[in-house]
Amino acid sequence: MKKQLTDRQLQINGIAAEIMSLAHDGLLVHMRFLDAALAKLKLECREGMGAHCFDGLRLFYDPLRLLRQYQAQPNYGARLYLHTLLHCIFYHALETDRLNPAYWDLATDIAVENTILELDLYITRLSSDDALRGRLEIIGKQAGGLTAEKLYRHFRLEEPSRKAQEEWYRLCHYDEHIFWDKKEELELSQGEWRKLSERIRADLRSFSKGAEHIGSMEQNLKEAARERHDYTAFLRKFMTPGETVQVNDEEFDYIYYTYGLNAYGNMPLVEPLEYKDSNRIKDFVIAIDTSASCRGELVQAFIQKTYHIMRQSENFFNKINVHIIQCDSRVQQDIKITQPQELEHFLRGGRLTGFGSTDFRPVFAYVEKLREEGEFDDLKGLIYFTDGYGIYPETMPDYNVAFVFLQEDEYAPRTPPWAIRLILEEEEMEAGQSYEY
């Protein structure tokens, strides 16, 4: 009995392996630009899993489950293979630090399935595709696009019902994401997948005859390749030099110090310098675009995150002078912060004012007026949090300026060449809301 069961399992495994091999060959024939990616993603049979999943390098498939799905839908193997492969080249598994992993999983599955439908390969077509197309058209309009990033932001703003999530799961879910939280293992393959994705993006149009059907793949590849910025490192651009009362170990000679202690009865020949030059923030301006498109909770999260990074001991003077300026078409409010308790009070009880049209120029004029009045000793930085729709000043100021946006918008006015442009993830801003003072 045991031998018969083993033989049966071997037969099942062999048929399942043949299904996946045919899927591989079919995808390779129709999409030659995926050749290196197909070679990179390894296939591994795992009996008894009850599901299919991948760990960034290998697609584990359950042979018995695959046969049952293949019997119902002969194209299922190719669909599963391409679904997982697109997760890899879009870096979906490497973005598991999202605030809501369940919504990220859902968004990535929908984005991948939309790309597959746009590619429109007959070897991946399933009977459920027509129903899926109708739902994709609706949510694409609601989310402003069908990349995983845009869908994720949409779900966090407009939480899907349990019924809707179950329906999306039925239509779009092919592989489990249970290994996506193993960041250390996944990061080992990140560089290799990034190179493959860059190659695919470059070869996409030259290899594809139906260029009109590759828009979704291009958008997802572009989003995946977009550079993510370390906001802490970014703020270092705005540090101002100054002196702090602190032992300067870098310029202190311990040889003379210990020699004096030994030779002259605990009398050091030199004393350590009690100050050192350091790059710390003292005078700083945070400008907030309070036009109707900037939501209050995101503005507060941005201020809180910015201030939390700035006030770290290595980056901040003990005495600070931070101005939080709210502005739409004119300056609405200026809050001066000199200590953490004042910011805490502002975040708890302060209100955003304005919500009219946007003009960036009044803030720069107002800051210049403050400088003339002696409000700043040495202003080096101004960060403007905005949606980008406004009138920029023509003249470059003599301090660093950065405009921070939550998302890329090709229709927004171009940022002046003298200003730093930074795109930050909305969830990265909201992650700052848990800071304590």
Side-chain angles (χ1 to χ4, degrees):
M1 186 69 178
K2 184 176 181 181
K3 186 177 185 299
Q4 290 178 347
L5 181 62
T6 301
D7 289 343
R8 180 174 179 272
Q9 186 63 63
L10 288 174
Q11 184 181 17
I12 291 174
N13 291 356
I15 297 173
E18 185 176 354
I19 291 172
M20 295 307 293
S21 177
L22 289 172
H24 172 277
D25 295 345
L27 294 173
L28 184 59
V29 168
H30 289 87
M31 294 187 294
R32 287 173 294 159
F33 57 89
L34 293 181
D35 57 350
L38 285 164
K40 172 71 174 174
L41 181 61
K42 305 302 181 184
L43 299 174
E44 188 169 320
C45 180
R46 287 282 183 93
E47 301 93 341
M49 290 185 65
H52 316 300
C53 57
F54 86 103
D55 63 355
L57 289 173
R58 295 164 295 178
L59 167 57
F60 303 106
Y61 60 90
D62 183 289
L64 186 58
R65 180 178 177 84
L66 179 62
L67 260 62
R68 290 171 178 169
Q69 292 164 327
Y70 177 81
Q71 186 176 17
Q73 299 269 11
N75 288 339
Y76 189 90
R79 185 65 163 256
L80 167 65
Y81 204 145
L82 184 55
H83 180 100
T84 301
L85 190 68
L86 292 178
H87 276 318
C88 293
I89 66 176
F90 295 159
Y91 313 143
H92 288 163
L94 297 169
E95 297 290 336
T96 53
D97 53 352
R98 304 277 172 165
L99 296 182
N100 192 318
Y103 287 169
W104 177 246
D105 286 350
L106 182 61
T108 59
D109 281 339
I110 296 172
V112 162
E113 285 301 294
N114 176 67
T115 300
I116 293 175
L117 291 190
E118 279 198 6
L119 291 171
D120 195 27
L121 302 176
Y122 77 87
I123 62 170
T124 61
R125 291 173 187 165
L126 300 179
S127 59
S128 58
D129 287 351
D130 289 339
L132 178 58
R133 282 191 182 91
R135 294 181 65 88
L136 288 172
E137 184 177 355
I138 295 173
I139 198 171
K141 294 178 180 178
Q142 295 173 339
L146 286 167
T147 64
E149 289 74 14
K150 288 183 178 180
L151 288 165
Y152 174 76
R153 295 185 189 109
H154 171 71
F155 288 143
R156 296 200 60 230
L157 291 174
E158 304 288 339
E159 295 186 11
S161 66
R162 183 180 183 86
K163 182 179 179 181
Q165 292 184 59
E166 291 174 352
E167 183 65 12
W168 281 121
Y169 187 92
R170 183 183 69 82
L171 292 171
C172 298
H173 192 74
Y174 290 83
D175 52 7
E176 300 298 327
H177 305 164
I178 57 177
F179 295 111
W180 285 20
D181 59 348
K182 296 184 177 181
K183 298 288 288 184
E184 297 81 5
E185 298 177 17
L186 290 171
E187 285 175 358
L188 295 175
S189 62
Q190 181 178 9
E192 297 178 45
W193 280 116
R194 185 172 296 278
K195 290 179 182 178
L196 287 173
S197 296
E198 291 172 353
R199 172 184 166 180
I200 291 170
R201 189 179 178 191
D203 294 344
L204 190 56
R205 287 193 175 276
S206 61
F207 275 100
S208 178
K209 295 180 181 179
E212 68 275 8
H213 298 308
I214 60 175
S216 178
M217 178 170 279
E218 282 190 316
Q219 287 299 316
N220 279 278
L221 286 169
K222 180 181 178 181
E223 189 69 42
R226 182 165 64 83
E227 183 180 0
R228 268 64 175 179
H229 295 274
D230 183 339
Y231 195 47
T232 303
F234 172 73
L235 279 182
R236 294 196 184 111
K237 295 179 181 291
F238 297 92
M239 294 181 185
T240 178
E243 290 184 352
T244 56
V245 179
Q246 179 180 348
V247 174
N248 189 350
D249 295 325
E250 297 174 0
E251 299 182 17
F252 176 56
D253 193 329
Y254 282 94
I255 296 177
Y256 284 103
Y257 182 81
T258 54
Y259 177 78
L261 293 178
N262 294 329
Y264 299 104
N266 294 329
M267 180 182 293
L269 294 180
V270 294
E271 292 284 353
L273 296 174
E274 294 183 351
Y275 66 89
K276 67 179 296 186
D277 292 332
S278 61
N279 291 324
R280 295 195 174 188
I281 302 166
K282 183 178 180 182
D283 294 331
F284 198 79
V285 173
I286 301 174
I288 304 297
D289 173 7
T290 57
S291 62
S293 58
C294 295
R295 305 200 314 275
E297 64 271 17
L298 287 178
V299 170
Q300 288 189 324
F302 171 74
I303 296 172
Q304 193 167 3
K305 184 177 184 70
T306 303
Y307 195 84
H308 173 80
I309 295 172
M310 289 166 57
R311 67 181 288 264
Q312 297 302 302
S313 59
E314 292 298 319
N315 299 337
F316 231 18
F317 279 105
N318 291 327
K319 294 182 179 180
I320 59 171
N321 180 25
V322 176
H323 284 253
I324 301 175
I325 301 173
Q326 299 183 45
C327 181
D328 44 25
S329 59
R330 60 188 180 90
V331 174
Q332 297 287 348
Q333 188 181 58
D334 177 14
I335 301 295
K336 182 177 180 178
I337 303 296
T338 60
Q339 53 186 345
Q341 292 75 14
E342 294 174 352
L343 178 68
E344 183 180 9
H345 177 75
F346 169 77
L347 291 174
R348 288 181 177 177
R351 293 184 177 182
L352 299 177
T353 59
F355 306 103
S357 58
T358 304
D359 188 341
F360 303 123
R361 296 172 297 180
V363 166
F364 290 88
Y366 178 74
V367 169
E368 192 58 37
K369 178 175 176 290
L370 292 179
R371 295 178 73 191
E372 293 174 356
E373 294 173 354
E375 175 61 23
F376 300 109
D377 292 332
D378 188 15
L379 177 64
K380 290 291 185 180
L382 182 153
I383 287 186
Y384 213 128
F385 183 71
T386 177
D387 61 2
Y389 285 88
I391 305 173
Y392 291 97
E394 297 180 359
T395 306
M396 179 180 69
D398 59 353
Y399 49 85
N400 292 323
V401 176
F403 288 91
V404 176
F405 310 90
L406 282 178
Q407 60 184 4
E408 189 74 54
D409 190 340
E410 57 181 308
Y411 300 106
R414 293 182 63 85
T415 308
W418 43 262
I420 299 172
R421 176 184 177 86
L422 183 69
I423 309 293
L424 293 180
E425 298 287 348
E426 179 175 324
E427 52 271 20
E428 183 180 351
M429 290 295 94
E430 293 183 342
Q433 292 181 349
S434 61
Y435 292 134
E436 298 180 355
Y437 296 94

